[in-house]
Amino acid sequence: MIRFVRHWHARAGVIAALFLLFLAISGLVLNHTDALSLAKREVKASWLMHWYGLKSTVPKQGYLFKDGFLAAADGRWVMDGHILREGAEQPPLGAMTWNQARVIAGAEALYLYTAEGQLIDKLSDAELPGKPIRQLGLAGDKLVLATVRGHFSSSDALTWQPHDGEQPTWSSLQALPNAELKEVKQAFAPSLPLERIILDLHSGRIFGRYGPLLMDLAAIVLVVLSLSGVWIYLRTVRKKPQH
Amino acid sequence: MNKNMIAAACALLLLVMAGSAQAIQQYLTSEQFLTEAFGNEVSKPQALWLNKETAKQVEKILGHAPHQTRQRYWRTGNSSAWILEEIGKEEPITAGFVVTDGRIAQARILTYRESRGWEVRYPAFLKQFQGAQLQVDDHLNQPVDGISGATLSVNAMVRMARLALYFDRLSRAE
């Protein structure tokens, strides 16, 4: 009997060791998610995204600045090929160049960026003359917001007055130039945080619906191995000749 | 025994629900905070712009680069009011500080979004900031006692208090 158990204990042990190593290493990495910034590291490998069934939505329209563009899809805002925001709940309603800044309006907030993508200021709640914002426009050198409370203009994006001056030029969606489409395509390529991929590897979910079952099986094998190991040890100790 | 266990499970469930219900709590709007600080004569907002040098100093105080390069504030006489945001653990905490003559006169939590650590909104905790000044090394000149289970929120509040004092000093120098 002991020969039989030893035989299978060794073979199952080698196979289970692979799973154990894999689980231990992935578990160790997941234990230090924050230190390793796993949530912030985006993986874009096309074969992996294909495996997850993720497809990119590439917008063909966007907002044009004097020397750049803003495009948005699936909660991602991309300015000049660089990701500006992720997980935005609503798409931008307008974007335009104002003085040296690039202004982007969402329904609930107004963002001021530099051309390099550095946030200058974000105006929301009481900093806005009214919400939701419906349109963003320019009247001379004044920024104009169309809100549910009416039209308001500002020359510094700090204080707002009811706008009753010249007719604003409203920002509107335009076809993105062909030259930008390659950049847009790259920027909207699907991606997943590394943390999610390692979590799925650890749980087996990356291998589809049967992956977790495979990991369950490996766990059961480990339990059996622990028991058989203890059993073999006890048998060996008992059989030792006593002096 | 079984009844005790069920009661304990219910209590735990209620505690978890209470914890999640704490998420995103607005205690004060910015208008209410400013009215509290300045009465009905709230001045127009002013802007403090960060340059490379001051942004570096802000990074030293916060431990990360500033989120934005323009900071809005309100000033009446010797007092200035600052509404700042800083992440405690995962979500930003919005806090308001009134600085008078280089000392914190008032600290308030406007919006708290974390699921734990909301005890920082209690006056007993916030009173500790009153009278605090910025030392030469840009730290507060008086200690702020922590709250167990709210360490990250307490740290975020201390960083924002230091930042409000630093911004006030910058705005007065302009």
Side-chain angles (χ1 to χ4, degrees):
Chain A
M1 179 71 175
I2 193 156
R3 283 184 72 183
F4 174 81
V5 174
R6 266 195 175 142
H7 177 83
W8 284 106
H9 181 85
R11 273 154 189 75
V14 171
I15 297 166
L18 295 174
F19 279 97
L20 189 63
L21 270 174
F22 174 73
L23 286 171
I25 293 168
S26 54
L28 264 175
V29 172
L30 287 173
N31 235 4
H32 300 280
T33 297
D34 289 340
L36 298 170
S37 308
L38 296 183
K40 289 176 188 162
R41 294 187 191 196
E42 292 287 319
V43 177
K44 283 189 174 179
S46 55
W47 62 270
L48 195 57
M49 297 305 111
H50 184 73
W51 178 262
Y52 269 93
L54 294 177
K55 287 176 187 166
S56 58
T57 313
V58 183
K60 294 202 167 64
Q61 288 190 314
Y63 297 97
L64 301 182
F65 300 112
K66 276 180 186 163
D67 50 356
F69 68 91
L70 176 83
D74 298 334
R76 182 178 287 182
W77 294 11
V78 170
M79 188 164 82
D80 299 349
H82 303 291
I83 297 172
L84 208 58
R85 291 190 70 203
E86 281 281 19
E89 284 173 15
Q90 287 166 331
L93 297 165
M96 56 206 325
T97 306
W98 173 64
N99 297 334
Q100 304 297 314
R102 288 178 175 186
V103 186
I104 304 169
E108 301 290 322
L110 189 72
Y111 302 85
L112 275 72
Y113 283 94
T114 64
E116 292 75 34
Q118 164 71 49
L119 181 67
I120 297 170
D121 203 354
K122 177 191 167 190
L123 286 75
S124 58
D125 299 322
E127 293 144 5
L128 291 172
K131 295 194 303 188
I133 298 171
R134 286 180 170 159
Q135 274 183 302
L136 170 70
L138 273 182
D141 60 352
K142 284 187 175 176
L143 206 55
V144 184
L145 291 182
T147 75
V148 284
R149 291 182 54 220
H151 292 182
F152 296 87
S153 62
S154 173
S155 50
D156 56 7
L158 280 171
T159 51
W160 300 86
Q161 300 80 36
H163 182 71
D164 50 9
E166 70 179 91
Q167 177 63 27
T169 312
W170 299 111
S171 164
S172 60
L173 277 171
Q174 294 176 56
L176 292 168
N178 283 335
E180 318 286 13
L181 284 179
K182 195 183 165 191
E183 269 186 290
V184 172
K185 213 173 173 182
Q186 273 183 349
F188 284 95
S191 64
L192 279 173
L194 186 56
E195 183 187 22
R196 162 82 190 273
I197 294 164
I198 297 177
L199 264 172
D200 288 348
L201 276 168
H202 190 74
S203 65
R205 284 193 177 83
I206 202 164
F207 303 113
R209 59 193 294 200
Y210 298 112
L213 292 177
L214 184 72
M215 289 302 179
D216 289 350
L217 188 69
I220 292 167
V221 171
L222 280 170
V223 171
V224 173
L225 280 172
S226 313
L227 296 174
S228 59
V230 172
W231 187 77
I232 291 168
Y233 170 75
L234 289 175
R235 285 295 301 259
T236 316
V237 168
R238 275 188 201 164
K239 280 201 168 181
K240 267 187 184 173
Q242 291 185 349
H243 297 286
Chain B
M1 180 65 182
N2 276 346
K3 276 183 184 174
N4 285 344
M5 281 177 74
I6 291 167
C10 287
L12 193 70
L13 190 69
L14 279 173
L15 212 70
V16 170
M17 285 167 71
S20 57
Q22 283 297 334
I24 313 188
Q25 286 284 328
Q26 186 172 37
Y27 300 110
L28 269 183
T29 63
S30 34
E31 290 108 319
Q32 285 170 331
F33 167 70
L34 292 169
T35 308
E36 219 179 72
F38 299 120
N40 288 326
E41 290 176 16
V42 179
S43 61
K44 282 185 178 176
Q46 298 178 52
L48 176 74
W49 288 83
L50 297 183
N51 56 32
K52 271 187 185 172
E53 196 185 320
T54 50
K56 227 176 181 178
Q57 203 54 37
V58 170
E59 191 170 344
K60 266 189 188 173
I61 291 171
L62 295 179
H64 58 79
H67 298 300
Q68 55 193 61
T69 53
R70 189 177 82 162
Q71 178 63 48
R72 170 191 324 266
Y73 70 99
W74 295 259
R75 177 172 289 286
T76 301
N78 291 339
S79 296
S80 62
W82 305 85
I83 296 175
L84 305 171
E85 268 190 6
E86 181 67 356
I87 291 175
K89 187 171 186 234
E90 284 168 348
E91 299 293 333
I93 301 166
T94 309
F97 294 88
V98 180
V99 182
T100 305
D101 295 326
R103 291 171 182 269
I104 290 181
Q106 198 180 359
R108 298 296 302 265
I109 297 283
L110 273 60
T111 308
Y112 193 83
R113 300 171 184 85
E114 302 275 14
S115 55
R116 293 175 67 186
W118 43 267
E119 296 89 341
V120 291
R121 79 187 163 95
Y122 288 136
F125 169 76
L126 296 170
K127 263 186 188 171
Q128 296 182 92
F129 290 98
Q130 279 179 10
Q133 280 179 295
L134 212 53
Q135 293 179 157
V136 185
D137 62 359
D138 287 337
H139 279 84
L140 299 182
N141 69 335
Q142 59 192 52
V144 173
D145 291 338
I147 301 171
S148 50
T151 310
L152 295 177
S153 296
V154 170
N155 292 346
M157 282 300 291
V158 171
R159 289 198 298 275
M160 284 192 277
R162 290 168 60 198
L163 192 61
L165 288 166
Y166 177 66
F167 278 164
D168 174 72
R169 188 204 288 166
L170 284 182
S171 69
R172 279 185 286 130
E174 269 187 345

